[in-house]
């Protein structure tokens, strides 16, 4: 999609113009000139036919001017309009553009601004929201009579500085495209997106952006003593992979942030087998890995001044005569021993070795992200990401990034009593599943035992990484949760240095 900036007087070849309609639209900058497109009828339409209600969309003929159709989107009260409202409106606009098979669209950018939302903000949100709203997964059906039409050009109509507006829109476009790539990874079936295939994708991404890459195979993991990852992989015919990516903003590579993702390409639960209804959809158990890869794409495009390490442990968790079992005792990369009480608590095991490896690589701060527990859904529902942390200031900075992106994050407590339960075992240093109560806390807290004193944030996206219904910013399926917030956090750390 090619994005350009034009003033309101320039001739435009767009097929449709997107307009935000707020109460008292006459206060919108440039409204009088815009109204001329309707040969005097706009005032009556606004009064009697058009709706100011949020997310209400209606398309009318322009009657005059060079753009033949106008898509009005209700935005309610301009003064109360916030960035989440604008992003959602553009997501819905993206869906409409797909339905109408539009190749060339324009946006009356001033109609999505107020005292808090600048023209640059609106441009960013337009490119991001429309890009995410237009997403669809290219499935594996063998035939379709439908002609595919993609949006080729998007014109932003404004009198503001074109260079600044275009730069902001480009960033929004990168964020939206990266979310969509993560969505596609989550939507791919486990027989196609194996650990090897995921590593191949990461390798291509690294080559595209010049990251230093290291893909560890099973033999290398055995040599290093990654007993936690290897235990999860025992039942599989597919080899595991540890994907390591380095983005070097400085030659000395000091003070790197580690982004650590869970990459379980399919999770049967192992011998703690999931029920038949719970096992469907487990192709998405690599949502954390997808989030990290999506964030790394943004980092590669925008090149923030912050060193980053990405570490992703990838395998499937299968049942076989070789699979690990409840009551097994395994030795992790850190040297800590683990009593296995639940083979379906495998994500925390691969994360344990991953965060240990990130620390060995020099990470001074760690954010891990994983579709880790059903407990986070019980606690917070499907629309909130759960979090744990051992560093208040680090987490507050992360919350600011999540507020920027509109991705809701809620912190749960991790107490000394929780840690004692994780350390309770007659035969090992830790157990991997103290109980069903506080499930999300125990899952993340287990990872914390390997992070130790390194500043750390744990994100459980089991509820937010996948949706069973279409939403404002996309269709059902993978959501690309936390891609934007992880990247925004890196940008924030770069600015703060």
């Amino acid at each position: 999609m090619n994005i350009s900036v034009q003033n309101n007087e320039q001739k435009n070849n767009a097929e449709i113009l997107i307009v935000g309609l707020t109460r008292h639209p006459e206060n919108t900058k440039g409204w009088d000139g815009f109204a001329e497109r309707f040969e005097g009828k706009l005032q009556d339409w606004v009064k009697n036919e058009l709706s100011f209600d949020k997310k209400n969309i209606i398309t009318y003929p322009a009657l005059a001017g060079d753009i033949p159709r106008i898509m009005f989107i209700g935005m309610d009260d301009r003064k109360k309009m916030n960035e989440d409202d604008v992003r959602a409106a553009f997501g819905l606009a993206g869906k409409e553009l797909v339905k109408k098979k539009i190749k060339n669209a324009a946006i009356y950018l001033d109609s999505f601004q107020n005292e808090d939302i600048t023209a640059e903000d609106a441009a960013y949100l337009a490119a991001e929201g429309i890009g995410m709203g237009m997403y669809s997964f290219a499935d594996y059906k063998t035939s379709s009579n439908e002609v595919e039409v993609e949006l080729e050009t998007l014109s932003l109509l404004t009198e503001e500085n074109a260079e600044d507006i275009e730069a902001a829109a480009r960033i929004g476009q990168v964020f939206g495209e990266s979310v969509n790539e993560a969505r596609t990874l989550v939507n791919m079936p486990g027989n196609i997106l194996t650990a090897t295939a995921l590593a191949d994708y990461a390798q291509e991404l690294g080559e595209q952006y010049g990251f230093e890459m290291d893909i560890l195979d099973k033999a290398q993991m055995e040599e290093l003593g990654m007993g936690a990852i290897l235990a999860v992989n025992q039942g599989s015919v597919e080899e595991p992979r540890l994907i390591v990516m380095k983005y070097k903003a400085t030659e000395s590579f000091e003070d790197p942030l580690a982004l650590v993702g869970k990459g379980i390409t399919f999770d049967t639960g192992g011998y703690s087998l999931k029920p038949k209804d719970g096992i469907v959809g487990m192709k998405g158990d690599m949502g954390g890995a997808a989030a990290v890869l999506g964030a790394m794409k943004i980092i590669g495009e925008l090149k923030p001044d912050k060193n980053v390490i990405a570490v992703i442990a990838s395998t499937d968790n299968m049942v076989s005569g070789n699979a690990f079992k409840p009551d097994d005792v395994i030795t992790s990369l850190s040297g800590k021993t683990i009593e296995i009480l639940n083979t379906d608590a495998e994500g925390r095991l691969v994360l344990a070795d991953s965060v240990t490896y990130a620390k060995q690589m020099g990470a001074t701060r760690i954010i891990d992200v994983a579709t880790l527990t059903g407990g986070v859904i019980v606690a917070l529902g499907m629309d909130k990401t759960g979090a744990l942390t051992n560093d208040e200031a680090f987490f507050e900075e992360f919350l600011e990034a999540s507020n920027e992106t509109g991705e809701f994050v809620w912190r749960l407590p991790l107490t000394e009593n929780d840690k004692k339960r994780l350390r309770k075992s007659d035969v090992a240093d830790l157990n991997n599943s103290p109980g069903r109560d506080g499930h999300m806390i125990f899952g993340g807290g287990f990872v914390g035992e390997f992070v130790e004193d390194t500043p750390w944030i744990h994100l459980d996206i089991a509820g937010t990484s996948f949706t069973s219904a279409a939403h404002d910013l996309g269709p059902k399926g993978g959501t690309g949760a936390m891609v934007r917030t992880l990247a925004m956090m890196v940008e924030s750390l770069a600015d703060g240095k």
Side-chain angles (χ1 to χ4, degrees), residues 201-272:
Y201 171 86
Q203 183 70 46
E204 291 175 6
L205 196 68
E207 290 172 359
Q208 181 180 355
Y209 295 113
F211 301 147
E212 287 189 10
M213 298 293 301
D214 196 7
I215 308 293
L216 277 63
D217 62 19
K218 185 176 181 178
Q220 291 169 302
M221 292 185 206
E222 289 172 338
E223 186 176 345
L224 290 169
M226 293 185 166
I229 297 172
L230 291 168
V232 178
N233 178 252
Q234 275 178 217
S236 179
V237 297
E238 294 283 347
E239 276 214 2
R241 291 289 184 268
L242 188 79
I243 301 163
V244 184
M245 316 171 81
K246 271 187 177 182
Y247 166 72
K248 297 181 73 172
T250 62
E251 193 62 36
S252 58
F253 201 64
E254 74 277 0
D255 191 32
L257 168 71
L259 303 179
V260 178
K262 171 187 171 183
I264 302 296
T265 57
F266 193 84
D267 182 20
T268 67
Y271 275 105
S272 304

Side-chain angles (χ1 to χ4, degrees), residues 76 222 282 340 400 489:
D76 201 22
E222 289 172 338
M282 284 298 107
I340 303 301
E400 290 182 18
M489 181 63 177

